[in-house]
Amino acid sequence: MSSIVVSLLAAAALVAPAHDVARETADPRDGWGAGTTGGAAADAEHVAVARNRAELIAALGGDNATNGQNATPKIVVVSGRIDATEHKTCADHADPEYSLDAFLAAYDPAVWGRTAKPSGPLEDARVRSARRQGDQIRINVGPNTTIVGVRGARIDGGSLILTNVGNVIVRGVEFTDAADCFPAWDPTDGAAGNWNSLYDLVSLSGATNVWIDHNTFSDGDNHDSEQPVYFGRPYQVHDGATDVIRGSDLVTVSYNDYYDHDKTMLIGSTDTPGVDVGKLRVTVHHNRFGNVLQRAPRVRFGQVDVYNNLFVATDEDYQYSLGAGVESAIYAEKNYFRLGADVPAADVIHYWKGTRITAIGSLVQVGSRLPRPVDLVAAYNEAYDPDLLPGAGWTPVLRTRVDPAVAVPLIVAATAGSRRLR
Ligand code: CA
Ligand code: CA
């Protein structure tokens, strides 16, 4: 064989992995995102391999500024490891007028107070810096797109943006560390203020018909526990792993591995009724939530089906898993919770102004003891007020397979995550 034929065969092998995973579509019964086809209709010209940021942007349509509106059916095969930062550091994005030291001096609560958000030249310089970093690390995805990973596919330091798009599939990619170089200080957030970051690893905003399947999400080597503390609060450089906000709808999040992350999955970002009412319908099944601290998921408004997930909560900073927010209707069934000895089962559910939640068939295992059935709503109600009604008011029907909770740890270990996509 000539070398040209060999390289053509190699390219074909990349573009069309075994069983044609690249053209696979969501099962018509697989959760709220059922039937999502992504880029399955792509013609040969719109199937491309991406090995770096430039190839990724080229495959998504050619211009990161307009790719978000590019509706041509397309398949993007991510191969190997892509560094979305292209080795740029925070200093490369910093505006000449910005320095962290000056920012900390200007907005120290002892100087600035705690009643108003920062404003003025240094805050403006921070915003300009953040904009420059955002232009680098945000990767805009248009409608009718499949992104599928092969060969240890990984996107480091990037934030995949699905804004006002429909019909997108993301599978088989490991996403790590979309760190914000310029967290915002909000002294009015919570009792003591908070540092907040901009970038989710995958961000759905006004996105409909989306299938997020067999990916891995983490902070990589950049752990929150190693960040500094400023103004008495952790300097949080990470935001969500998979956030679903602003009227997003019909989403299935299946067989993903989420680990070592704080704010994992926010479904609905505001208590104010608006575009989210009647939307934010998401199915979350067969995922591993491995020592994520909160929001797995935290829900407002949506009917969210959470079944057959493995939750591991042994970290001392664990907060909660299921957040019942305003008008939320979480239906949690046959999930398996592995809790640390000092994590009460009452803490799995957290009150965020919701009124009701279904949590049935839950198994809780503490340490190496045998798992036991726990009524998580009753446990929450016994420990906390206000009580939640034990019924979400709806029953999911879009499910392909429901496993017994006792089998969930083994099934999820064998099937979840980017490297388990077959
Ligand atoms: Ca977010
Ligand atoms: Ca109570």
Side-chain angles (χ1 to χ4, degrees):
M1 265 189 286
S2 77
S3 62
I4 289 168
V5 171
V6 170
S7 56
L8 278 175
L9 285 173
L14 272 179
V15 169
H19 320 302
D20 212 2
V21 167
R23 288 192 190 270
E24 224 173 291
T25 59
D27 186 288
R29 291 176 304 124
D30 189 5
W32 286 116
T36 298
T37 60
D43 60 27
E45 280 175 38
H46 293 96
V47 180
V49 177
R51 300 172 200 84
N52 53 50
R53 178 180 177 275
E55 288 183 353
L56 182 57
I57 286 168
L60 287 165
D63 181 349
N64 202 30
T66 53
N67 281 353
Q69 291 88 54
N70 185 321
T72 306
K74 64 196 97 56
I75 295 172
V76 181
V77 181
V78 174
S79 177
R81 190 166 174 167
I82 292 178
D83 174 14
T85 75
E86 297 180 307
H87 306 296
K88 292 196 185 77
T89 66
C90 291
D92 294 323
H93 301 302
D95 186 273
E97 308 288 308
Y98 176 85
S99 85
L100 179 59
D101 286 347
F103 188 89
L104 293 173
Y107 302 113
D108 188 318
V111 176
W112 182 257
R114 289 191 175 272
T115 53
K117 294 185 186 190
S119 62
L122 273 162
E123 171 63 8
D124 293 346
R126 185 197 66 79
V127 170
R128 285 195 300 275
S129 307
R131 203 168 289 142
R132 285 163 65 161
Q133 188 199 2
D135 288 345
Q136 173 71 38
I137 75 166
R138 289 182 201 259
I139 306 291
N140 295 309
V141 179
N144 307 319
T145 302
T146 292
I147 296 175
V148 60
V150 297
R151 306 198 173 173
R154 178 166 164 170
I155 298 179
D156 292 327
S159 177
L160 215 58
I161 306 291
L162 281 60
T163 295
N164 301 329
V165 298
N167 197 26
V168 176
I169 294 173
V170 181
R171 306 180 77 199
V173 179
E174 178 173 4
F175 295 93
T176 72
D177 189 24
D180 189 336
C181 291
F182 310 100
W185 169 244
D186 182 354
T188 69
D189 181 355
N194 270 315
W195 293 97
N196 291 313
S197 282
L198 275 182
Y199 310 113
D200 306 325
L201 290 165
V202 175
S203 173
L204 278 63
S205 180
T208 54
N209 296 98
V210 179
W211 187 29
I212 307 284
D213 176 76
H214 281 99
N215 303 285
T216 296
F217 298 86
S218 79
D219 295 340
D221 297 331
N222 190 16
H223 303 291
D224 285 346
S225 58
E226 288 150 26
Q227 302 299 329
V229 171
Y230 297 126
F231 307 159
R233 300 295 296 156
Y235 194 59
Q236 178 54 271
V237 299
H238 299 114
D239 197 35
T242 306
D243 283 1
V244 182
I245 65 168
R246 289 188 194 144
S248 291
D249 199 20
L250 304 175
V251 177
T252 294
V253 180
S254 52
Y255 297 97
N256 300 284
D257 185 8
Y258 294 89
Y259 70 94
D260 292 354
H261 188 84
D262 184 355
K263 304 170 187 175
T264 300
M265 192 184 303
L266 180 67
I267 301 179
S269 57
T270 173
D271 286 349
T272 307
V275 292
D276 294 325
V277 176
K279 304 283 184 63
L280 298 175
R281 289 172 294 180
V282 181
T283 298
V284 180
H285 74 87
H286 294 95
N287 301 282
R288 183 176 84 111
F289 295 102
N291 277 323
V292 302
L293 303 187
Q294 59 177 320
R295 304 183 181 178
R298 172 179 172 176
V299 181
R300 294 171 169 107
F301 298 102
Q303 294 181 328
V304 175
D305 186 14
V306 182
Y307 73 93
N308 281 172
N309 300 282
L310 171 63
F311 297 81
V312 181
T314 54
D315 192 291
E316 59 182 13
D317 294 323
Y318 171 74
Q319 296 181 39
Y320 68 92
S321 297
L322 305 171
V326 171
E327 292 184 34
S328 64
I330 296 174
Y331 193 104
E333 184 175 7
K334 294 189 171 70
N335 296 290
Y336 193 104
F337 297 85
R338 195 173 279 151
L339 304 181
D342 49 4
V343 175
D347 287 8
V348 167
I349 294 173
H350 191 84
Y351 169 77
W352 287 111
K353 303 185 212 166
T355 57
R356 56 191 181 164
I357 182 170
T358 296
I360 53 176
S362 314
L363 279 181
V364 172
Q365 180 185 23
V366 177
S368 56
R369 284 181 233 159
L370 286 173
R372 63 191 175 92
V374 173
D375 182 335
L376 294 171
V377 184
Y380 162 85
N381 284 342
E382 198 174 306
Y384 299 108
D385 292 319
D387 285 9
L388 294 165
L389 292 171
W394 70 292
T395 306
V397 290
L398 292 163
R399 291 172 168 182
T400 47
R401 58 176 278 180
V402 182
D403 295 304
V406 71
V408 164
L410 274 176
I411 290 169
V412 166
T415 56
S418 59
R419 284 164 194 271
R420 308 282 188 201
L421 179 60
R422 295 281 183 273

